[in-house]
Amino acid sequence: MSMNVLLHCCCAPCSVSCVKNLRAENINFSLFWYNPNIHPFTEYRARRDCLAEFAANEKLELETADEYGLRSFISAVYPRKNERCLTCYRLRLEKTASFAAEKGFSAFSTSLLTSPYQDHEALRSIGGQMSAKYQIEFLYRDFRPLFRDGQSAAREKNLYMQKYCGCVFSEEERYLKNQKPPDGSHPVPHNFLERLQLLTGGTGLEKISQKRVLVFGAGGVGSWAAEALVRSGIGKIGIIDNDSICASNINRQIEATSFTVGQPKASALKKRLLEINPLCEITAWDALFCRENAHLFGIESADYVIDAIDSLNHKLDLIETVCKAGVTLFSSMGMALKMNPSLIKTAPIWKTSVCPLARLVRQGLKKRGFTGTFTAVYSGEEPIRGNLHQDCAPPPMQDAPQDRKAANGSIVTVTASAGFLLASLVLRDAIGDGLREKGNEQIF
Ligand code: SF4
């Protein structure tokens, strides 16, 4: 029996490329109009009538569930306004799947799969859920490569081209670009991971989104590691730091600005990261890590721990706790007194060299009888001491194992590079690029 598909159409211009694609595959299909997400009514009518005209010109069957759903749509999406697009997809795909099953179609699909502005992976996943629920095939196609051509063809056909996605919220965002909505709602921007997905594929992104990472230390190294992880779609992240932001942090810590001085570092970083991805589950502990409160952070259930602590005893406690729990640890050594980010490397802790903090860590662990191993990120650059002003020169390293009162000089190009390298270790391990298996010690 040949396939008979019900193609949900969000609008005529987006349907052009889908129609071309399905015809090229010799698939039978009818168009379907159900878009209660389009407001106001004049806009709804313009898009609906344009699709009807397009269907007639192309001699295609058009089914409709004609409902201008301002009130029902708002009450469905508003309680979870940060996830409004997911609710919107669900509403439209559920209606399409149930309608297709009821009318005897053998599959359903949607023109939303053509738009690079929509969350393609979410659409694919929701399509799959509706397929299982209504026992009808979801015809998944990545129509996006044809999007630009489709839009040009739509212009040539003189189809009505809309200026915004559909709902009143998207209209507001279109015209008030850099202003926050007055109710504080904050939708996740469409496709904010699109460029990353081109590198990792959908499966890679999915794997990253399932990971939970704890970052101990939200300073010059840890803050950038956390930033990179959230910008890469990590699912859950915990940030632990008991310090508050001071002016001298502004040169190298991402949460430190002239507006945040005085705020607790972990909470300030959480606030920033939520603006990047409101769907990331972020926990901030404005607390110190030490042996006594190690139980607070759920270390055993983490997939990865990033150690960006610079106090030696707490660092040693963390290393022991994480390794005992069998959780993968990536640990930063000293990044102060360095200028050259290209000398930052990775190695098992026992093979580190040059870095004075790494030496103290190796000695401290030996003293404690620790026999495990983990990956360290360290710099092969000799500490720069010559240019330090007498007032801020650090004490000699043998007297400075922990909690130094004197400040060390540091620069963001080095600390951030170490943070990015730590995040990169997590991300590459999460997507399983096989580097660990190849025994590449320069990388792990
Ligand atoms: S922006 Fe578009 S996809 Fe998101 S809720 Fe509004 S109409 Fe639906």
Side-chain angles (χ1 to χ4, degrees):
M1 205 177 80
S2 69
M3 190 180 258
N4 187 17
V5 179
L6 185 66
L7 176 70
H8 165 261
C9 298
C10 58
C11 61
C14 284
S15 306
V16 171
S17 55
C18 308
V19 164
K20 189 173 171 196
N21 194 311
L22 294 178
R23 278 180 170 155
E25 288 192 59
N26 277 325
I27 291 174
N28 288 329
F29 62 96
S30 299
L31 308 184
F32 180 54
W33 172 261
Y34 177 68
N35 295 296
N37 56 310
I38 299 170
H39 320 127
F41 180 71
T42 47
E43 178 72 18
Y44 174 86
R45 188 175 56 193
R47 296 194 203 183
R48 180 197 63 192
D49 294 351
C50 178
L51 184 71
E53 201 183 318
F54 170 69
N57 290 343
E58 297 286 327
K59 305 206 176 355
L60 289 164
E61 289 292 328
L62 173 66
E63 303 279 358
T64 56
D66 195 6
E67 175 189 327
Y68 174 62
L70 177 62
R71 286 169 188 77
S72 57
F73 178 83
I74 302 284
S75 36
V77 301
Y78 205 68
R80 299 172 73 195
K81 47 188 182 275
N82 287 344
E83 293 175 33
R84 70 158 198 256
C85 297
L86 303 184
T87 308
C88 176
Y89 300 155
R90 220 169 274 124
L91 282 175
R92 291 189 277 171
L93 291 185
E94 174 143 29
K95 183 71 163 192
T96 310
S98 66
F99 190 96
E102 193 188 313
K103 301 281 179 178
F105 285 87
S106 57
F108 71 101
S109 191
T110 175
S111 64
L112 290 164
L113 292 170
T114 200
S115 169
Y117 304 110
Q118 304 293 350
D119 185 339
H120 194 86
E121 286 307 310
L123 284 163
R124 185 177 190 169
S125 154
I126 292 168
Q129 290 161 25
M130 294 308 151
S131 164
K133 186 168 176 185
Y134 292 95
Q135 295 293 296
I136 179 165
E137 185 182 338
F138 175 56
L139 183 84
Y140 168 74
R141 291 288 183 274
D142 187 351
F143 295 124
R144 287 175 296 181
L146 292 173
F147 178 73
R148 298 278 164 223
D149 286 351
Q151 296 290 303
S152 311
R155 268 185 213 97
E156 277 164 28
K157 289 174 195 289
N158 236 348
L159 298 178
Y160 172 71
M161 309 292 288
Q162 60 262 18
K163 305 276 184 301
Y164 56 94
C165 187
C167 63
V168 284
F169 308 111
S170 62
E171 192 254 7
E172 179 186 61
E173 285 153 16
R174 163 75 173 76
Y175 294 107
L176 296 181
K177 255 182 191 154
N178 296 318
Q179 295 179 32
K180 284 199 168 174
D183 65 355
S185 68
H186 186 180
V188 186
H190 282 147
N191 280 351
F192 89 100
L193 294 170
E194 187 186 31
R195 294 300 172 95
L196 178 61
Q197 191 180 340
L198 292 173
L199 264 184
T200 63
T203 324
L205 273 193
E206 183 65 25
K207 286 179 183 168
I208 293 170
S209 73
Q210 287 163 1
K211 300 300 181 196
R212 174 172 183 261
V213 184
L214 292 174
V215 179
F216 287 86
V221 173
S223 65
W224 296 93
E227 170 97 2
L229 289 170
V230 171
R231 284 190 187 273
S232 303
I234 205 82
K236 297 181 185 172
I237 191 166
I239 304 152
I240 300 95
D241 199 307
N242 71 324
D243 226 353
S244 293
I245 298 167
C246 60
S248 66
N249 301 148
I250 295 175
N251 81 316
R252 69 196 182 284
Q253 303 183 12
I254 197 160
E255 71 275 18
T257 69
S258 48
F259 289 104
T260 59
V261 168
Q263 294 179 15
K265 285 186 184 175
S267 292
L269 183 55
K270 174 180 172 177
K271 192 167 171 235
R272 172 184 167 83
L273 297 177
L274 277 174
E275 288 184 8
I276 294 165
N277 182 5
L279 297 184
C280 182
E281 206 177 304
I282 304 175
T283 313
W285 283 278
D286 297 313
L288 179 74
F289 173 84
C290 56
R291 205 186 277 283
E292 294 67 41
N293 67 10
H295 61 281
L296 292 178
F297 312 109
I299 289 174
E300 310 70 30
S301 66
D303 296 290
Y304 301 96
V305 166
I306 288 181
D307 158 32
I309 296 180
D310 50 15
S311 144
L312 183 65
N313 274 341
H314 295 150
K315 195 172 197 70
L316 295 176
D317 286 347
L318 179 65
I319 291 169
E320 282 190 315
T321 308
V322 175
C323 292
K324 199 167 157 202
V327 173
T328 304
L329 171 68
F330 298 123
S331 175
S332 175
M333 298 298 121
M335 295 298 153
L337 305 174
K338 316 281 159 91
M339 279 297 284
N340 187 348
S342 73
L343 295 172
I344 299 172
K345 314 179 201 189
T346 62
I349 183 64
W350 304 114
K351 294 195 175 176
T352 51
S353 56
V354 183
C355 171
L357 180 58
R359 177 166 46 80
L360 291 169
V361 168
R362 292 193 307 272
Q363 287 170 355
L365 289 174
K366 267 189 200 153
K367 248 189 223 162
R368 292 177 178 213
F370 177 87
T371 54
T373 190
F374 56 89
T375 301
V377 168
Y378 72 105
S379 170
E381 183 178 2
E382 291 290 347
I384 300 167
R385 297 174 192 279
N387 293 335
L388 290 177
H389 188 279
Q390 227 19 59
D391 296 346
C392 57
M397 280 314 295
Q398 64 268 27
D399 301 332
Q402 57 182 315
D403 302 324
R404 287 173 293 218
K405 292 278 185 286
N408 284 328
S410 48
I411 185 166
V412 67
T413 47
V414 168
T415 63
S417 299
F420 287 153
L421 185 48
L422 287 158
S424 166
L425 291 169
V426 168
L427 296 169
R428 286 183 290 150
D429 195 67
I431 62 177
D433 67 2
L435 293 170
R436 185 191 293 272
E437 288 72 32
K438 288 178 200 154
N440 190 339
E441 287 182 354
Q442 283 308 300
I443 295 171
F444 283 103

